[in-house]
Amino acid sequence: MTTYATASSDTNYMQGLDDLGCMGFAGGYPSNLHDEINNFSIIAGVLARSEQFDLIHAHDWLTFPAGVHAKMVSGKPLCIHVHATDFDRSRGKVNPTVYSIEKNGMDHADCIMCVSELTRQTVINQYHQDPRKCVAMHNAVYPLSEEYRNIEPHKIPGEKVVTYLGRITMQKGPEYFIEAARLVLQRTKNIRFCFAGSGDMMNAMIELAAAYGIADRCHFPGFQRGRQVYECYKNSDVFVMPSVSEPFGIAPLEAMQCGCPSIISKQSGCGEILTNVLKVDYWDIHAMADAIYSLCTNDGFHDYIAEEGIREVDQITWEKVGLRIRQCYDQLIRKGQFDNDEYLQNYIR
């Protein structure tokens, strides 16, 4: 990606301009990530001087400095969207640099949209923000495409598949999933456990499965993308998200769309809007094992949760979320600030 910057004092702070005044961005997570974040914020300032707009909306800490810079230049209201905080990603071992960037963005924001009430409380309590400018704005899902709806599941008669799909990293609690798998396999051998994803704990989970003597019942197909994700859901009988701290968690909604019952941790934001799922504490491996075993051995219970789950998730649409965000925008533009109490009295249900 190449960005062109107009001549201004902003360009004096840019890193890596070429002879034409162009700046290249890596489009990923390079070793000089903080330089890229700074350069992006400068670009935002340049654009804020030259473009006409009503408000600024920045997503997560990588773009918060850009949002703040644009606000400083333009005087327009700033809305930031918190999809996760460093408290979620680090299990409390917060990176002080990331925290300071997150807090600075929140301090300058006129409205803070959080993907769940769980995240909203983290923002209020850990980042010391005014509750009135913080609003829970839950995520949603798009309707399944015809291509994904028509995927034919491939299942082995007499066997069940229980799936974990996501990053295999400490925030997601993969070790609790494998502990629960060990307990389930003490009661039955006709269940397979799928770890679909990649991450820094993948090798440790493979070694743990081997140490428990259940490696022959555990599969690690690696990172899944696009159609592979929905094939995985369709081929599964149960989906488990044992996250230690999950600001929202869209994966269970996607699994439910595919008729795959979900078990989620009580520490997951999506649990605030889902009824037809099973909820357990991430650390309660016995409750998790019981929930897995029940869904795999009780066909009537499984089918009820699957059917009601499809009905429920079909009502959780991005169109509805978009209307709620628009209502926040309208209040922010009209008043120059956001008041969550006023929003809750009037928001579109």
Side-chain angles (χ1 to χ4, degrees):
M1 172 184 175
T2 299
T3 300
Y4 293 88
T6 58
S8 75
S9 59
D10 291 319
T11 59
N12 295 331
Y13 299 97
M14 293 181 180
Q15 304 293 320
L17 287 178
D18 63 19
D19 293 339
L20 296 175
C22 301
M23 178 188 298
F25 286 99
Y29 295 90
S31 58
N32 65 332
L33 180 59
H34 290 285
D35 287 342
E36 296 250 314
I37 292 170
N38 175 71
N39 289 344
F40 185 62
S41 73
I42 302 301
I43 292 293
V46 172
L47 292 173
R49 280 185 169 80
S50 58
E51 301 294 331
Q52 297 297 313
F53 53 92
D54 297 305
L55 59 81
I56 304 146
H57 196 148
H59 291 261
D60 264 355
W61 71 280
L62 297 172
T63 68
F64 286 176
V68 171
H69 193 175
K71 177 181 178 177
M72 296 297 98
V73 168
S74 67
K76 300 294 185 179
L78 170 63
C79 174
I80 66 169
H81 215 118
V82 182
H83 298 267
T85 71
D86 211 49
F87 283 89
D88 303 301
R89 292 182 290 265
S90 66
R91 278 198 193 175
K93 298 178 181 178
V94 177
N95 181 317
T97 301
V98 176
Y99 177 86
S100 67
I101 293 173
E102 290 177 328
K103 189 172 189 310
N104 186 61
M106 295 176 192
D107 289 345
H108 283 87
D110 300 287
C111 174
I112 304 175
M113 293 186 184
C114 308
V115 293
S116 62
E117 182 61 29
L118 179 72
T119 301
R120 181 174 177 267
Q121 290 303 318
T122 298
V123 167
I124 292 168
N125 297 319
Q126 301 293 347
Y127 294 83
H128 315 295
Q129 298 302 308
D130 183 346
R132 290 173 299 179
K133 73 174 185 179
C134 302
V135 57
M137 190 64 65
H138 295 97
N139 289 329
V141 285
Y142 291 107
L144 277 187
S145 67
E146 185 175 356
E147 176 192 356
Y148 293 161
R149 281 200 311 272
N150 293 335
I151 291 174
E152 286 292 330
H154 297 287
K155 297 187 177 181
I156 300 174
E159 282 202 336
K160 302 291 185 179
V161 175
V162 180
T163 293
Y164 166 114
L165 189 150
R167 288 182 292 116
I168 304 178
T169 190
M170 65 178 180
Q171 179 191 347
K172 304 295 184 177
E175 68 269 39
Y176 300 103
F177 181 66
I178 210 161
E179 293 284 356
R182 177 176 64 89
L183 294 175
V184 171
L185 290 170
Q186 290 173 356
R187 300 162 73 174
T188 180
K189 296 298 183 185
N190 69 335
I191 300 176
R192 294 185 180 273
F193 291 84
C194 175
F195 281 82
S198 61
D200 59 359
M201 289 183 67
M202 185 171 179
N203 289 339
M205 294 303 98
I206 293 172
E207 292 170 2
L208 192 57
Y212 285 155
I214 60 173
D216 62 323
R217 310 306 296 176
C218 296
H219 303 268
F220 294 83
F223 183 77
Q224 307 291 293
R225 56 173 58 83
R227 182 184 173 91
Q228 292 175 317
V229 171
Y230 290 91
E231 288 175 341
C232 195
Y233 292 140
K234 290 273 192 173
N235 292 335
S236 302
D237 298 282
V238 178
F239 175 79
V240 182
M241 188 177 73
S243 297
V244 174
S245 180
E246 188 67 54
F248 185 77
I250 287 180
L253 282 70
E254 295 173 339
M256 292 163 69
Q257 285 182 302
C258 296
C260 182
S262 291
I263 300 168
I264 65 174
S265 72
K266 292 179 180 178
Q267 292 72 30
S268 303
C270 63
E272 297 168 10
I273 61 170
L274 292 176
T275 301
N276 294 289
V277 296
L278 278 65
K279 303 172 187 178
V280 300
D281 287 305
Y282 72 86
W283 46 262
D284 194 341
I285 58 173
H286 293 279
M288 195 182 301
D290 286 344
I292 292 169
Y293 186 80
S294 295
L295 285 169
C296 286
T297 59
N298 187 327
D299 290 342
F301 181 47
H302 175 280
D303 293 346
Y304 173 80
I305 294 295
E307 292 166 9
E308 291 301 310
I310 291 173
R311 235 187 307 273
E312 180 175 31
V313 78
D314 281 349
Q315 301 304 310
I316 303 173
T317 67
W318 281 115
E319 182 179 9
K320 292 178 181 177
V321 176
L323 289 172
R324 293 170 187 161
I325 291 175
R326 175 58 188 265
Q327 193 166 19
C328 292
Y329 284 171
D330 289 343
Q331 185 193 131
L332 194 54
I333 293 170
R334 184 178 71 253
K335 299 178 64 176
Q337 60 184 22
F338 179 78
D339 186 332
N340 187 50
D341 293 336
E342 178 182 328
Y343 167 76
L344 291 176
Q345 291 174 4
N346 301 304
Y347 86 101
I348 303 166
R349 296 180 181 273

